[in-house]
Amino acid sequence: MEKTMKLEIFRYRPDQENQPTFQTYDIPFKRDWVILDAINYIKDQIDGTVSYRWSCRMGVCGSCGMMVNGVPKLTCATFLKEYYPDKVKVEPLAGFPVQRDLVIVMDDFINKLKSIKPWIIRMEGEEKPIEEGEYIQTPAELAEYKQYSMCINCMLCYAACPVYVLDTTFVGPAAIALAQRYNFDSRDQGRDERQEIIASHEGIWECTFVGECSMVCPKAVDPAGAIQRAKVSSTVDWYKEMLLPWGRKKK
Ligand code: FES
């Protein structure tokens, strides 16, 4: 006889109901199925009204993030066998407004990414003429920021962050890690511009170093580490400013 298990899915359709509910579905248990396979099965075979996001099904696009039994996960990389035979509860990512069922509103996250200017900034007059070719970078210089460039914008780190979930003004883990991706790039000169956001009241000092963002990151970006490094460099900046009136040299 085919093994089955239960998937409990958060339902919210604002055009039809005021309050969210949960709906439980019986699904076949297959050892090689991930949670996303099970939701796709429900959508195709049982209830076509369930709404959710996904695309690549291989942990690359970052769109299938959901809370699985209260923990932020990429549902395309989380196997049913980790939970069988228990019931699995699937909810939208914590901390974000819900648009419909498992679909969250991403606007706040996208605006935060944009706010830290995630591109190479060169000071005026310091851009290389095109005919001089590309900016050469050594493997060691690449290694400085490569880890922070692996982010897939899945937002699991925001859903895991107790600061962001309580206060969404916090710039947040992925955006700060992305800022560090450029700050540590040998071709970039835009750190001062990013500092206005990173060292603001809503920036790095809001982080209480719980570290859950790094625990749930599916790409080992370590946003918590990126934030602590930004705290150290911002503190060094502050000391340099403080010492200037006493005639110490700013490096
Ligand atoms: Fe693309 Fe899961 S569907 S990361």
Short mmCIF file of all heavy atoms in Angstrom, two decimals, residues 71-125:
data_model
loop_
_atom_site.label_atom_id
_atom_site.label_comp_id
_atom_site.label_asym_id
_atom_site.label_seq_id
_atom_site.Cartn_x
_atom_site.Cartn_y
_atom_site.Cartn_z
N VAL A 71 10.41 26.80 10.27
CA VAL A 71 11.80 27.13 9.93
C VAL A 71 11.86 27.58 8.47
O VAL A 71 11.31 26.89 7.60
CB VAL A 71 12.73 25.90 10.14
CG1 VAL A 71 14.16 26.25 9.78
CG2 VAL A 71 12.62 25.41 11.58
N PRO A 72 12.55 28.71 8.18
CA PRO A 72 12.64 29.14 6.78
C PRO A 72 13.47 28.15 5.96
O PRO A 72 14.61 27.82 6.34
CB PRO A 72 13.36 30.49 6.86
CG PRO A 72 13.40 30.88 8.29
CD PRO A 72 13.23 29.63 9.10
N LYS A 73 12.91 27.68 4.86
CA LYS A 73 13.58 26.67 4.03
C LYS A 73 13.33 26.95 2.56
O LYS A 73 12.27 27.48 2.20
CB LYS A 73 13.01 25.27 4.30
CG LYS A 73 13.17 24.78 5.72
CD LYS A 73 14.42 23.95 5.84
CE LYS A 73 14.50 23.28 7.20
NZ LYS A 73 15.78 22.60 7.39
N LEU A 74 14.28 26.53 1.71
CA LEU A 74 13.98 26.43 0.28
C LEU A 74 13.20 25.14 0.11
O LEU A 74 13.72 24.05 0.38
CB LEU A 74 15.28 26.35 -0.54
CG LEU A 74 16.10 27.61 -0.72
CD1 LEU A 74 17.26 27.33 -1.67
CD2 LEU A 74 15.27 28.78 -1.21
N THR A 75 11.97 25.23 -0.36
CA THR A 75 11.15 24.02 -0.42
C THR A 75 11.61 23.07 -1.53
O THR A 75 11.26 21.90 -1.53
CB THR A 75 9.66 24.36 -0.61
OG1 THR A 75 9.52 25.25 -1.71
CG2 THR A 75 9.09 24.99 0.64
N CYS A 76 12.40 23.56 -2.47
CA CYS A 76 12.92 22.67 -3.51
C CYS A 76 14.15 21.92 -3.03
O CYS A 76 14.69 21.07 -3.77
CB CYS A 76 13.23 23.43 -4.79
SG CYS A 76 14.69 24.47 -4.68
N ALA A 77 14.63 22.23 -1.83
CA ALA A 77 15.83 21.58 -1.32
C ALA A 77 15.58 20.92 0.03
O ALA A 77 16.50 20.58 0.75
CB ALA A 77 16.97 22.60 -1.20
N THR A 78 14.29 20.74 0.36
CA THR A 78 13.92 20.17 1.66
C THR A 78 13.07 18.92 1.42
O THR A 78 11.97 19.02 0.86
CB THR A 78 13.13 21.20 2.48
OG1 THR A 78 13.89 22.41 2.55
CG2 THR A 78 12.87 20.71 3.89
N PHE A 79 13.58 17.79 1.82
CA PHE A 79 12.93 16.51 1.47
C PHE A 79 11.83 16.14 2.45
O PHE A 79 11.94 16.37 3.66
CB PHE A 79 13.97 15.40 1.41
CG PHE A 79 14.79 15.45 0.15
CD1 PHE A 79 15.92 16.25 0.08
CD2 PHE A 79 14.42 14.72 -0.98
CE1 PHE A 79 16.67 16.32 -1.09
CE2 PHE A 79 15.15 14.79 -2.14
CZ PHE A 79 16.29 15.60 -2.21
N LEU A 80 10.78 15.52 1.91
CA LEU A 80 9.68 15.01 2.74
C LEU A 80 10.19 14.02 3.76
O LEU A 80 9.70 13.93 4.88
CB LEU A 80 8.63 14.32 1.86
CG LEU A 80 7.68 15.17 1.02
CD1 LEU A 80 6.74 14.25 0.27
CD2 LEU A 80 6.91 16.15 1.88
N LYS A 81 11.21 13.21 3.37
CA LYS A 81 11.68 12.15 4.27
C LYS A 81 12.27 12.69 5.57
O LYS A 81 12.39 11.96 6.54
CB LYS A 81 12.71 11.26 3.55
CG LYS A 81 13.97 11.95 3.15
CD LYS A 81 14.85 11.02 2.33
CE LYS A 81 16.07 11.78 1.83
NZ LYS A 81 16.72 11.16 0.72
N GLU A 82 12.62 14.00 5.58
CA GLU A 82 13.11 14.60 6.82
C GLU A 82 11.99 14.70 7.86
O GLU A 82 12.27 14.88 9.04
CB GLU A 82 13.68 16.01 6.57
CG GLU A 82 14.93 16.04 5.71
CD GLU A 82 15.38 17.45 5.38
OE1 GLU A 82 15.19 18.36 6.22
OE2 GLU A 82 15.91 17.65 4.28
N TYR A 83 10.74 14.62 7.41
CA TYR A 83 9.60 14.83 8.31
C TYR A 83 8.71 13.60 8.46
O TYR A 83 7.98 13.49 9.44
CB TYR A 83 8.75 16.02 7.81
CG TYR A 83 9.56 17.27 7.65
CD1 TYR A 83 10.17 17.60 6.44
CD2 TYR A 83 9.77 18.13 8.73
CE1 TYR A 83 10.93 18.75 6.30
CE2 TYR A 83 10.53 19.28 8.60
CZ TYR A 83 11.12 19.57 7.38
OH TYR A 83 11.88 20.70 7.26
N TYR A 84 8.72 12.73 7.47
CA TYR A 84 7.84 11.56 7.48
C TYR A 84 8.05 10.75 8.76
O TYR A 84 9.20 10.56 9.17
CB TYR A 84 8.13 10.70 6.25
CG TYR A 84 7.28 9.45 6.18
CD1 TYR A 84 5.99 9.51 5.67
CD2 TYR A 84 7.77 8.23 6.65
CE1 TYR A 84 5.21 8.36 5.61
CE2 TYR A 84 6.99 7.10 6.60
CZ TYR A 84 5.71 7.17 6.08
OH TYR A 84 4.94 6.04 6.04
N PRO A 85 7.02 10.25 9.40
CA PRO A 85 5.60 10.25 9.01
C PRO A 85 4.81 11.42 9.59
O PRO A 85 3.58 11.42 9.52
CB PRO A 85 5.11 8.92 9.61
CG PRO A 85 5.90 8.79 10.88
CD PRO A 85 7.24 9.41 10.60
N ASP A 86 5.50 12.40 10.17
CA ASP A 86 4.76 13.49 10.82
C ASP A 86 4.15 14.45 9.79
O ASP A 86 4.62 14.55 8.65
CB ASP A 86 5.69 14.27 11.75
CG ASP A 86 6.24 13.38 12.86
OD1 ASP A 86 5.52 12.44 13.25
OD2 ASP A 86 7.38 13.61 13.29
N LYS A 87 3.19 15.19 10.25
CA LYS A 87 2.55 16.20 9.39
C LYS A 87 3.53 17.36 9.18
O LYS A 87 4.29 17.72 10.09
CB LYS A 87 1.28 16.71 10.08
CG LYS A 87 0.49 17.69 9.26
CD LYS A 87 -0.94 17.83 9.76
CE LYS A 87 -1.02 18.64 11.03
NZ LYS A 87 -2.40 18.86 11.47
N VAL A 88 3.50 17.95 8.00
CA VAL A 88 4.36 19.10 7.70
C VAL A 88 3.48 20.32 7.54
O VAL A 88 2.48 20.29 6.81
CB VAL A 88 5.16 18.86 6.39
CG1 VAL A 88 6.03 20.07 6.09
CG2 VAL A 88 6.01 17.61 6.51
N LYS A 89 3.89 21.39 8.22
CA LYS A 89 3.12 22.63 8.14
C LYS A 89 3.89 23.63 7.29
O LYS A 89 5.07 23.91 7.57
CB LYS A 89 2.93 23.18 9.56
CG LYS A 89 1.95 24.31 9.67
CD LYS A 89 1.77 24.63 11.16
CE LYS A 89 0.59 25.53 11.40
NZ LYS A 89 0.37 25.76 12.82
N VAL A 90 3.25 24.13 6.24
CA VAL A 90 3.93 25.06 5.33
C VAL A 90 3.23 26.41 5.38
O VAL A 90 2.02 26.51 5.19
CB VAL A 90 3.90 24.51 3.88
CG1 VAL A 90 4.69 25.43 2.96
CG2 VAL A 90 4.48 23.10 3.82
N GLU A 91 4.03 27.45 5.67
CA GLU A 91 3.49 28.81 5.78
C GLU A 91 4.35 29.77 4.94
O GLU A 91 5.49 29.46 4.60
CB GLU A 91 3.53 29.26 7.24
CG GLU A 91 2.68 28.41 8.17
CD GLU A 91 2.99 28.71 9.62
OE1 GLU A 91 3.90 28.05 10.17
OE2 GLU A 91 2.34 29.58 10.20
N PRO A 92 3.82 30.98 4.68
CA PRO A 92 4.64 31.97 3.97
C PRO A 92 5.80 32.43 4.85
O PRO A 92 5.75 32.30 6.09
CB PRO A 92 3.67 33.13 3.71
CG PRO A 92 2.45 32.86 4.50
CD PRO A 92 2.46 31.45 4.98
N LEU A 93 6.84 32.96 4.24
CA LEU A 93 8.01 33.41 5.00
C LEU A 93 7.59 34.41 6.07
O LEU A 93 6.84 35.36 5.80
CB LEU A 93 9.03 34.06 4.07
CG LEU A 93 9.87 33.11 3.21
CD1 LEU A 93 10.81 33.90 2.32
CD2 LEU A 93 10.64 32.11 4.07
N ALA A 94 8.10 34.23 7.28
CA ALA A 94 7.75 35.11 8.41
C ALA A 94 8.30 36.52 8.16
O ALA A 94 9.32 36.70 7.52
CB ALA A 94 8.34 34.53 9.69
N GLY A 95 7.58 37.50 8.69
CA GLY A 95 8.07 38.88 8.65
C GLY A 95 7.62 39.67 7.44
O GLY A 95 7.84 40.88 7.38
N PHE A 96 7.01 39.00 6.46
CA PHE A 96 6.59 39.70 5.25
C PHE A 96 5.06 39.70 5.15
O PHE A 96 4.42 38.73 5.57
CB PHE A 96 7.15 39.00 4.00
CG PHE A 96 8.64 39.07 3.90
CD1 PHE A 96 9.44 38.05 4.43
CD2 PHE A 96 9.26 40.15 3.29
CE1 PHE A 96 10.82 38.11 4.35
CE2 PHE A 96 10.64 40.22 3.20
CZ PHE A 96 11.43 39.20 3.73
N PRO A 97 4.49 40.76 4.56
CA PRO A 97 3.04 40.73 4.33
C PRO A 97 2.70 39.61 3.34
O PRO A 97 3.50 39.29 2.47
CB PRO A 97 2.74 42.10 3.70
CG PRO A 97 3.98 42.91 3.82
CD PRO A 97 5.13 41.98 4.05
N VAL A 98 1.52 39.03 3.52
CA VAL A 98 1.09 37.94 2.63
C VAL A 98 0.19 38.50 1.54
O VAL A 98 -0.77 39.22 1.82
CB VAL A 98 0.35 36.85 3.42
CG1 VAL A 98 -0.16 35.76 2.48
CG2 VAL A 98 1.26 36.25 4.48
N GLN A 99 0.52 38.16 0.32
CA GLN A 99 -0.30 38.60 -0.82
C GLN A 99 -1.44 37.62 -1.03
O GLN A 99 -2.59 38.00 -1.19
CB GLN A 99 0.56 38.66 -2.06
CG GLN A 99 -0.09 39.36 -3.23
CD GLN A 99 0.95 39.74 -4.27
OE1 GLN A 99 2.12 39.93 -3.96
NE2 GLN A 99 0.54 39.83 -5.50
N ARG A 100 -1.08 36.32 -0.98
CA ARG A 100 -2.08 35.27 -1.19
C ARG A 100 -1.44 33.93 -0.83
O ARG A 100 -0.32 33.63 -1.29
CB ARG A 100 -2.52 35.26 -2.65
CG ARG A 100 -3.66 34.33 -2.98
CD ARG A 100 -3.98 34.44 -4.47
NE ARG A 100 -5.01 33.47 -4.83
CZ ARG A 100 -6.31 33.71 -4.78
NH1 ARG A 100 -6.76 34.89 -4.42
NH2 ARG A 100 -7.19 32.77 -5.10
N ASP A 101 -2.10 33.14 -0.03
CA ASP A 101 -1.60 31.81 0.37
C ASP A 101 -0.12 31.88 0.80
O ASP A 101 0.20 32.49 1.79
CB ASP A 101 -1.81 30.79 -0.75
CG ASP A 101 -3.28 30.53 -1.03
OD1 ASP A 101 -4.11 30.82 -0.13
OD2 ASP A 101 -3.61 30.07 -2.12
N LEU A 102 0.77 31.27 0.00
CA LEU A 102 2.18 31.20 0.38
C LEU A 102 3.02 32.27 -0.31
O LEU A 102 4.25 32.25 -0.23
CB LEU A 102 2.72 29.80 0.02
CG LEU A 102 1.98 28.65 0.72
CD1 LEU A 102 2.28 27.31 0.06
CD2 LEU A 102 2.33 28.60 2.20
N VAL A 103 2.34 33.20 -0.97
CA VAL A 103 3.05 34.25 -1.72
C VAL A 103 3.18 35.49 -0.85
O VAL A 103 2.17 36.02 -0.37
CB VAL A 103 2.28 34.61 -3.02
CG1 VAL A 103 3.00 35.73 -3.77
CG2 VAL A 103 2.10 33.38 -3.89
N ILE A 104 4.41 35.93 -0.64
CA ILE A 104 4.63 37.14 0.17
C ILE A 104 4.85 38.35 -0.72
O ILE A 104 5.19 38.23 -1.89
CB ILE A 104 5.83 36.96 1.12
CG1 ILE A 104 7.07 36.56 0.30
CG2 ILE A 104 5.53 35.97 2.22
CD1 ILE A 104 8.33 37.09 0.86
N VAL A 105 4.71 39.55 -0.11
CA VAL A 105 5.01 40.80 -0.82
C VAL A 105 6.50 41.10 -0.63
O VAL A 105 6.98 41.19 0.49
CB VAL A 105 4.15 41.95 -0.25
CG1 VAL A 105 4.45 43.25 -1.00
CG2 VAL A 105 2.67 41.60 -0.34
N MET A 106 7.21 41.23 -1.74
CA MET A 106 8.68 41.35 -1.69
C MET A 106 9.18 42.79 -1.76
O MET A 106 10.38 43.03 -1.70
CB MET A 106 9.30 40.59 -2.87
CG MET A 106 9.05 39.11 -2.86
SD MET A 106 9.56 38.35 -4.42
CE MET A 106 11.29 38.79 -4.47
N ASP A 107 8.27 43.76 -1.91
CA ASP A 107 8.70 45.14 -2.21
C ASP A 107 9.72 45.68 -1.21
O ASP A 107 10.71 46.31 -1.59
CB ASP A 107 7.48 46.08 -2.22
CG ASP A 107 6.49 45.69 -3.30
OD1 ASP A 107 6.56 44.55 -3.78
OD2 ASP A 107 5.65 46.53 -3.67
N ASP A 108 9.48 45.45 0.09
CA ASP A 108 10.38 45.99 1.11
C ASP A 108 11.79 45.43 0.93
O ASP A 108 12.78 46.16 1.00
CB ASP A 108 9.84 45.63 2.50
CG ASP A 108 10.72 46.19 3.60
OD1 ASP A 108 10.96 47.40 3.59
OD2 ASP A 108 11.19 45.39 4.45
N PHE A 109 11.86 44.14 0.65
CA PHE A 109 13.17 43.49 0.46
C PHE A 109 13.88 44.06 -0.77
O PHE A 109 15.07 44.41 -0.71
CB PHE A 109 12.95 41.98 0.29
CG PHE A 109 14.20 41.21 -0.01
CD1 PHE A 109 15.21 41.07 0.93
CD2 PHE A 109 14.39 40.64 -1.26
CE1 PHE A 109 16.37 40.36 0.64
CE2 PHE A 109 15.54 39.93 -1.56
CZ PHE A 109 16.53 39.79 -0.61
N ILE A 110 13.17 44.19 -1.86
CA ILE A 110 13.78 44.70 -3.10
C ILE A 110 14.28 46.13 -2.88
O ILE A 110 15.38 46.50 -3.31
CB ILE A 110 12.76 44.66 -4.26
CG1 ILE A 110 12.29 43.23 -4.53
CG2 ILE A 110 13.34 45.29 -5.53
CD1 ILE A 110 13.35 42.28 -5.03
N ASN A 111 13.46 46.94 -2.19
CA ASN A 111 13.88 48.33 -1.94
C ASN A 111 15.13 48.38 -1.07
O ASN A 111 16.00 49.24 -1.25
CB ASN A 111 12.74 49.12 -1.28
CG ASN A 111 11.63 49.39 -2.28
OD1 ASN A 111 11.88 49.45 -3.48
ND2 ASN A 111 10.41 49.54 -1.80
N LYS A 112 15.24 47.45 -0.13
CA LYS A 112 16.43 47.43 0.73
C LYS A 112 17.67 47.04 -0.07
O LYS A 112 18.74 47.60 0.13
CB LYS A 112 16.20 46.49 1.91
CG LYS A 112 15.35 47.20 2.93
CD LYS A 112 14.95 46.39 4.09
CE LYS A 112 14.27 47.35 5.06
NZ LYS A 112 13.26 46.74 5.86
N LEU A 113 17.52 46.08 -0.97
CA LEU A 113 18.65 45.71 -1.82
C LEU A 113 19.11 46.92 -2.63
O LEU A 113 20.30 47.20 -2.75
CB LEU A 113 18.28 44.56 -2.77
CG LEU A 113 18.02 43.19 -2.16
CD1 LEU A 113 17.79 42.17 -3.27
CD2 LEU A 113 19.17 42.71 -1.28
N LYS A 114 18.15 47.65 -3.19
CA LYS A 114 18.49 48.80 -4.03
C LYS A 114 19.15 49.90 -3.20
O LYS A 114 20.04 50.60 -3.67
CB LYS A 114 17.22 49.37 -4.68
CG LYS A 114 16.84 48.64 -5.95
CD LYS A 114 15.86 49.43 -6.79
CE LYS A 114 14.47 49.41 -6.22
NZ LYS A 114 13.42 49.88 -7.10
N SER A 115 18.71 50.04 -1.94
CA SER A 115 19.18 51.16 -1.12
C SER A 115 20.68 51.11 -0.85
O SER A 115 21.31 52.15 -0.62
CB SER A 115 18.42 51.19 0.21
OG SER A 115 18.88 50.15 1.07
N ILE A 116 21.28 49.92 -0.90
CA ILE A 116 22.72 49.85 -0.58
C ILE A 116 23.60 49.98 -1.84
O ILE A 116 24.80 49.78 -1.79
CB ILE A 116 23.08 48.59 0.23
CG1 ILE A 116 22.67 47.30 -0.51
CG2 ILE A 116 22.44 48.60 1.60
CD1 ILE A 116 23.73 46.78 -1.39
N LYS A 117 22.98 50.36 -2.96
CA LYS A 117 23.70 50.58 -4.22
C LYS A 117 24.55 49.36 -4.61
O LYS A 117 25.78 49.39 -4.55
CB LYS A 117 24.59 51.83 -4.11
CG LYS A 117 23.80 53.07 -3.74
CD LYS A 117 24.62 54.32 -3.84
CE LYS A 117 23.73 55.51 -3.50
NZ LYS A 117 24.40 56.79 -3.58
N PRO A 118 23.88 48.28 -5.00
CA PRO A 118 24.60 47.04 -5.30
C PRO A 118 25.20 47.03 -6.70
O PRO A 118 24.78 46.26 -7.56
CB PRO A 118 23.51 45.96 -5.15
CG PRO A 118 22.24 46.68 -5.51
CD PRO A 118 22.42 48.11 -5.12
N TRP A 119 26.15 47.89 -6.90
CA TRP A 119 26.89 47.91 -8.15
C TRP A 119 28.27 48.52 -7.87
O TRP A 119 28.48 49.12 -6.82
CB TRP A 119 26.14 48.74 -9.22
CG TRP A 119 25.75 50.11 -8.78
CD1 TRP A 119 26.54 51.22 -8.76
CD2 TRP A 119 24.47 50.53 -8.26
NE1 TRP A 119 25.85 52.30 -8.27
CE2 TRP A 119 24.57 51.91 -7.97
CE3 TRP A 119 23.25 49.89 -8.04
CZ2 TRP A 119 23.51 52.65 -7.44
CZ3 TRP A 119 22.20 50.64 -7.52
CH2 TRP A 119 22.32 51.99 -7.23
N ILE A 120 29.21 48.33 -8.81
CA ILE A 120 30.55 48.89 -8.65
C ILE A 120 30.48 50.41 -8.79
O ILE A 120 29.99 50.92 -9.79
CB ILE A 120 31.51 48.33 -9.73
CG1 ILE A 120 31.60 46.81 -9.65
CG2 ILE A 120 32.87 49.01 -9.65
CD1 ILE A 120 32.55 46.27 -8.64
N ILE A 121 30.95 51.10 -7.79
CA ILE A 121 30.98 52.57 -7.83
C ILE A 121 32.43 53.02 -7.97
O ILE A 121 33.30 52.56 -7.20
CB ILE A 121 30.37 53.16 -6.54
CG1 ILE A 121 28.89 52.75 -6.41
CG2 ILE A 121 30.53 54.68 -6.51
CD1 ILE A 121 28.25 53.13 -5.09
N ARG A 122 32.71 53.88 -8.92
CA ARG A 122 34.04 54.49 -9.04
C ARG A 122 33.90 55.98 -8.77
O ARG A 122 32.90 56.60 -9.12
CB ARG A 122 34.59 54.29 -10.47
CG ARG A 122 34.80 52.86 -10.88
CD ARG A 122 35.92 52.16 -10.16
NE ARG A 122 37.22 52.74 -10.45
CZ ARG A 122 38.37 52.28 -9.92
NH1 ARG A 122 38.35 51.24 -9.08
NH2 ARG A 122 39.51 52.83 -10.23
N MET A 123 34.90 56.56 -8.12
CA MET A 123 34.87 58.00 -7.87
C MET A 123 34.96 58.75 -9.19
O MET A 123 35.54 58.26 -10.16
CB MET A 123 36.04 58.40 -6.98
CG MET A 123 35.83 58.01 -5.54
SD MET A 123 37.31 58.38 -4.62
CE MET A 123 36.91 57.63 -3.08
N GLU A 124 34.39 59.95 -9.18
CA GLU A 124 34.37 60.72 -10.41
C GLU A 124 35.79 60.93 -10.94
O GLU A 124 36.70 61.27 -10.17
CB GLU A 124 33.71 62.08 -10.16
CG GLU A 124 33.05 62.57 -11.40
CD GLU A 124 32.16 63.77 -11.12
OE1 GLU A 124 31.52 63.79 -10.06
OE2 GLU A 124 32.16 64.65 -11.98
N GLY A 125 35.98 60.67 -12.21
CA GLY A 125 37.30 60.87 -12.82
C GLY A 125 38.22 59.68 -12.64
O GLY A 125 39.36 59.69 -13.13
#
